[in-house]
Amino acid sequence: MITASPHARITGSDTAGPSALADWRQLWRDAVTDVGQLLGLLGLEHLHNLLPEGNAGFALRVPRGFIARMRHGDPRDPLLLQVLPSVAELEQTPGFVIDAVGDMGSRAAQGVLHKYEGRALLIASGSCAINCRYCFRRHFPYGDEMAAAGQWRHALEHVRQDHSINELILSGGDPLALTTAKLKELSQGLAEIPHVTRLRIHTRLPVVLPERIDDAFQQWLAALPLQKVVVLHANHANEFDASVDAACARLREAGATLLNQSVLLRGVNDDADALTALSERLFAAGVLPYYLHQLDRVQGTAHFEVADTDAQALLDAIRTRLPGYLVPKLVREVGGDASKRPV
Ligand SMILES: *Cc1c(COP(=O)(O)O)cnc(C)c1O
Ligand code: SF4
């Protein structure tokens, strides 16, 4: 569904007429941040008094287009469970920590994580259009700009000096939270670094706020003289609709290879039918499954964890039902390793 939000027209955030796409920044601001409002939209008001005080310390945030893909009246909806605060988040579970993957130990420069050979990862932005309850980000109150601060100066300097880096990964937060003008600053800087031949973007925005892939962004991506990979993040087939398909098509038209990473989440996608449907739906949108991550052991997320033996059994099951190219790699991130670790 493409929403020309009436709110966007009232505030006159751009010159578009009523039939044009709403501006993505306006849709970003229109996201639901109040639990009562979210439950009201879904006919689930009765759940309100079961939820934790103060959203268990991590704000609720969901774009309206994503809410529109949830099933009305279903408290077990797989999209809702990814965003709804739960009292289970208040439990202190041994082994579940604040910095689960040791990111703080691999900072190479402001906003740069350089752990793996050949590729450097930029924490381009600390913002996201959606707050996913299982995310490590719940414990990092990032500023709005990370590597992007000061025209990307420190990040680009690190990359310029290390000729072993041929792939730059924009991650976050969500790097597409940045304006296209900010991304242009980066591509101008990269033009002077010939050893970088590939740009990879890790983003959930084409799924949760597909309007972000607007004309200006598509043109920027298409004009980049680099190989382009966009790694989406979807966990369930229901996250896709025609607006997401359209965003994926635009990314492919701009020359990007599209991959997806998912997190294996108890109650959301931990059954063979859901994982099979996800792979099939990804492929229908022109996206190949890449990684299926075992949950990072982040405090407040233990209720989402799936045991390794169960995860392996699920992979065995979907392998018998899908072509090999639609079976994601089951991995876990372990601090200090030279790559993601196969489970
Ligand atoms: C996950 C990750 C990457 C990308 O790893 P791939 O296996 O190439 O997808 C790169 N840098 C860091 C710091 C990462 O955490
Ligand atoms: S970084 Fe990704 S998983 Fe975490 S809150 Fe943002 S969109 Fe969700």
Side-chain angles (χ1 to χ4, degrees), residues 38-278:
L38 174 64
L39 294 176
L41 287 167
L42 295 168
L44 292 169
E45 294 86 346
H46 59 282
L47 294 182
H48 205 161
N49 57 4
L50 303 175
L51 299 184
E53 289 282 315
N55 293 328
F58 184 43
L60 172 90
R61 163 168 281 276
V62 208
R64 288 171 191 271
F66 195 76
I67 298 169
R69 296 171 229 155
M70 296 175 185
R71 287 188 295 253
H72 198 265
D74 182 359
R76 309 302 306 164
D77 178 83
L79 278 55
L80 177 64
L81 290 179
Q82 294 179 52
V83 299
L84 188 67
S86 156
V87 287
E89 295 171 29
L90 302 172
E91 283 165 26
Q92 302 275 330
T93 314
F96 282 72
V97 298
I98 301 282
D99 181 14
V101 294
D103 272 351
M104 290 316 171
S106 53
R107 298 240 150 174
Q110 182 178 7
V112 180
L113 298 182
H114 191 175
K115 285 204 246 187
Y116 304 153
E117 189 168 332
R119 51 237 196 262
L121 184 147
L122 266 53
I123 312 281
S125 152
S127 305
C128 290
I130 188 167
N131 282 347
C132 311
R133 308 310 300 180
Y134 51 86
C135 183
F136 67 89
R137 203 176 139 263
R138 59 183 303 131
H139 299 298
F140 291 99
Y142 294 121
D144 270 351
E145 291 189 354
M146 308 286 292
Q151 306 209 309
W152 308 85
R153 198 159 41 84
H154 297 287
L156 284 169
E157 198 44 41
H158 174 77
V159 176
R160 191 193 324 274
Q161 284 177 8
D162 188 338
H163 288 247
S164 73
I165 298 169
N166 65 356
E167 176 170 347
L168 196 67
I169 304 172
L170 301 186
S171 187
D174 201 307
L176 296 194
L178 299 173
T179 61
T180 302
K182 197 78 196 166
L183 295 169
K184 272 184 190 147
E185 285 177 11
L186 174 73
S187 51
Q188 278 154 10
L190 276 180
E192 288 149 33
I193 309 180
H195 56 266
V196 172
T197 55
R198 208 154 54 223
L199 182 70
R200 186 193 326 180
I201 302 176
H202 284 179
T203 176
R204 192 148 160 70
L205 270 168
V207 175
V208 302
L209 196 79
E211 294 81 359
R212 173 66 187 91
I213 312 304
D214 59 8
D215 291 344
F217 177 78
Q218 192 190 25
Q219 283 157 19
W220 170 76
L221 191 66
L224 275 185
L226 297 166
Q227 289 191 294
K228 298 147 238 184
V229 182
V230 176
V231 183
L232 307 177
H233 172 186
N235 301 312
H236 194 280
N238 292 2
E239 291 172 48
F240 284 78
D241 69 359
S243 68
V244 180
D245 286 335
C248 292
R250 284 170 156 247
L251 291 167
R252 274 183 290 117
E253 282 162 22
T257 297
L258 299 188
L259 305 173
N260 181 66
Q261 48 187 346
S262 310
V263 182
L264 186 57
L265 297 167
R266 177 138 57 102
V268 173
N269 59 9
D270 63 331
D271 68 83
D273 288 343
L275 291 175
T276 303
L278 173 60

